[in-house]
Amino acid sequence: MPNPLENYQQKLRTLSDRLVAIQQPIRILDAIKWPAQWREEFFARGANTPPPADKAYYQSIPLGFDLNQTRAELKSLLSDIKKELGKKDPLGLILQDTTEQYLLVMDLLKDRGTTGFIDHSRALYGSAHDHLIGDRRSLKEVGEHLCDIFHLPAAKHISFAQPKLYDAEQSVGILQSKLDGYFTRHNVQVKLSDGIVSDAAAGGDSIKLNTRSKFSDRDLHVLEVHEGWVHVGTTLNGRAQPYATWLGVGSPRIAAHQEGLAVLLETLTFASFPARARRISDRVTAIHMAEEGADFLDVYRHFIAAGLSQNDSYAVAQRVFRGGRVNGGAVFTKDLSYVRGFVENLNFIHSAISAGRPELIPMLFLGKLNLNDIPVLYGAYLSGIIDPPQYVPPMFSDLNGLYVWFGFANGMHLIDMERVQGHFIDMFSTIPSVCPTIMSPTATQDVEL
């Protein structure tokens, strides 16, 4: 007589593997990317004419799969999940939601370069007007607050040059050595690539470095924890699952968790710095402007006026308008994921500690997931259906330091910071304003992820 648990596990694995296979050729960013030469052409024309990213351009980019056929396969899978696992099975509901996300992706890709693009983008990644989980503030408000912090004079005061000492080939060797010590059960490769627009990009079990880019020690530290520990690590943890293999692939529903967790790891390892954090918060402002009707040139000129370089201003505008319409009316809202995810992951950790449930925190690294999935996934772990993550960063595998850090941070709300700051500001006024050489204000740039 068949074992009911084994029967359920096999159904879950079969359905999960089907989703993994269907989504394999879907590459959202590849379907909306801009050629690298557009940047040079934009500046050659005096930065007065937006790049020629229109509907015809996007429709000329091959998807590598048939939209209608893939849509039909997803609908068939969705029906089978409900039939095989039941409409209310907890793990089945996550699988259903993930499948439905890919159906929305079909609509997003179909409407590239049209006004309908923004509706699908909002459905997948949200809007700057959205509120954070359990909070009254909108992403726009949080982004503005962070921009204010990272625009303070102190941010520039402590910045000092990080020379880009290593070309791409040298950087491959250095980063490979760093990751070999972390990924002890898998062969994670660092490769050169001339087919990516950014400086670096993570694949399933690899990280690609742009052959045209140069890197600093700080850049490589960021790549180690952001692309390596988080993006590659959670992919491998998800792929190692015996039944829930969908946890090894990333639909848009997991974007905020992934990008926010990556930014959080940069912060906890002290890899990040003000100019990089400002870039991430600036993206929220750019998306809000575009949602309110600004076009590519409006956004570009806003950041030029705010003190960003020409290249950085172009990069922010490019990320927001890729896939949409450069003359306004349709934007790509994925970059809200960094700020949203950072705050929501931080709040999750804080809440897990306060509620006496710190054992939930390592589940953040289980695979490609949404924070709301964790109670179900943890229950499945206790039932033996889900395996624990193989790769967990050191501060999350031994939670003692993290617990103390959050404990002290929580205690700070008892202090009247306005009164305290007033005391110290008065004291600082008697100190000569001399900037040490190591903290001299210089322009700093970071790797573009």
Side-chain angles (χ1 to χ4, degrees), residues 30 33 36 193-201 208-212:
D30 284 349
K33 67 182 179 182
S193 173
D194 57 6
I196 56 176
V197 177
S198 59
D199 289 334
K208 297 177 181 178
L209 301 187
N210 194 319
T211 55
R212 300 179 297 275

Side-chain angles (χ1 to χ4, degrees), residues 32 54 145 165 248 352 435:
I32 60 175
D54 56 14
H145 180 64
L165 300 173
C435 185

Side-chain angles (χ1 to χ4, degrees), residues 57-364:
Y57 164 72
Y58 290 118
Q59 298 307 316
S60 73
I61 301 175
L63 293 176
F65 63 93
D66 183 88
L67 268 173
N68 293 328
Q69 179 183 337
T70 301
R71 190 193 304 275
E73 291 174 355
L74 288 166
K75 287 183 176 180
S76 175
L77 174 60
L78 188 60
S79 175
D80 288 346
I81 294 170
K82 295 174 182 177
K83 181 170 60 178
E84 296 290 329
L85 300 180
K87 294 182 179 181
K88 296 184 179 180
D89 177 76
L91 289 173
L93 287 172
I94 297 175
L95 194 51
Q96 286 180 49
D97 192 29
T98 305
T99 304
E100 288 169 349
Q101 283 270 301
Y102 281 114
L103 282 168
L104 288 173
V105 170
M106 297 301 101
D107 294 330
L108 179 85
L109 296 178
K110 177 178 68 69
D111 284 345
R112 290 170 294 169
T114 73
T115 54
F117 184 84
I118 188 172
D119 296 326
H120 309 312
S121 183
R122 284 171 172 161
L124 291 166
Y125 301 107
S127 162
H129 296 285
D130 289 347
H131 289 251
L132 295 160
I133 295 175
D135 196 275
R136 296 178 181 178
R137 289 166 297 184
S138 68
L139 281 167
K140 168 183 172 288
E141 292 172 306
V142 174
E144 288 174 344
H145 180 64
L146 290 173
C147 280
D148 289 342
I149 292 172
F150 297 125
H151 278 255
L152 288 172
K156 190 172 183 179
H157 184 70
I158 65 172
S159 297
F160 58 96
Q162 272 277 318
K164 294 184 182 292
L165 300 173
Y166 314 111
D167 62 25
E169 188 171 354
Q170 292 171 311
S171 299
V172 165
I174 296 170
L175 187 56
Q176 186 70 66
S177 177
K178 290 174 179 286
L179 296 180
D180 285 345
Y182 185 80
F183 293 107
T184 56
R185 303 185 188 186
H186 293 82
N187 180 25
V188 173
Q189 292 188 316
V190 185
K191 307 174 181 178
L192 292 174
S193 173
D194 57 6
I196 56 176
V197 177
S198 59
D199 289 334
D205 56 2
S206 66
I207 296 176
K208 297 177 181 178
L209 301 187
N210 194 319
T211 55
R212 300 179 297 275
S213 299
K214 299 190 72 174
F215 300 86
S216 68
D217 287 307
R218 178 183 279 148
D219 293 336
L220 296 175
H221 192 187
V222 168
L223 291 173
E224 177 188 8
V225 299
H226 185 117
E227 303 289 356
W229 293 9
V230 176
H231 293 329
V232 174
T234 53
T235 295
L236 296 177
N237 287 339
R239 287 180 177 177
Q241 290 301 319
Y243 310 110
T245 55
W246 81 82
L247 289 170
V249 299
S251 68
R253 71 187 293 276
I254 62 90
H257 169 260
Q258 275 287 297
E259 300 300 355
L261 194 60
V263 174
L264 178 59
L265 260 293
E266 290 181 34
T267 305
L268 292 175
T269 57
F270 298 110
S272 195
F273 52 98
R276 175 164 175 76
R278 172 181 169 179
R279 179 174 295 177
I280 290 170
S281 58
D282 279 344
R283 293 170 186 171
V284 178
T285 299
I287 290 171
H288 174 253
M289 288 180 63
E291 285 191 284
E292 294 298 303
D295 62 20
F296 179 91
L297 293 178
D298 293 331
V299 172
Y300 170 79
R301 289 164 180 165
H302 169 83
F303 287 105
I304 289 290
L308 266 65
S309 69
Q310 289 185 329
N311 281 331
D312 287 348
S313 298
Y314 178 93
V316 173
Q318 173 189 0
R319 293 179 70 100
V320 170
F321 286 94
R322 53 186 169 167
R325 290 165 53 86
V326 291
N327 57 346
V331 298
F332 190 46
T333 59
K334 178 182 180 291
D335 278 350
L336 296 172
S337 302
Y338 295 86
V339 169
R340 180 201 293 273
F342 175 81
V343 175
E344 290 181 350
N345 277 297
L346 203 62
N347 287 343
F348 175 88
I349 295 169
H350 191 285
S351 300
I353 289 174
S354 298
R357 302 302 305 270
E359 69 273 14
L360 297 175
I361 296 174
M363 298 295 286
L364 291 168

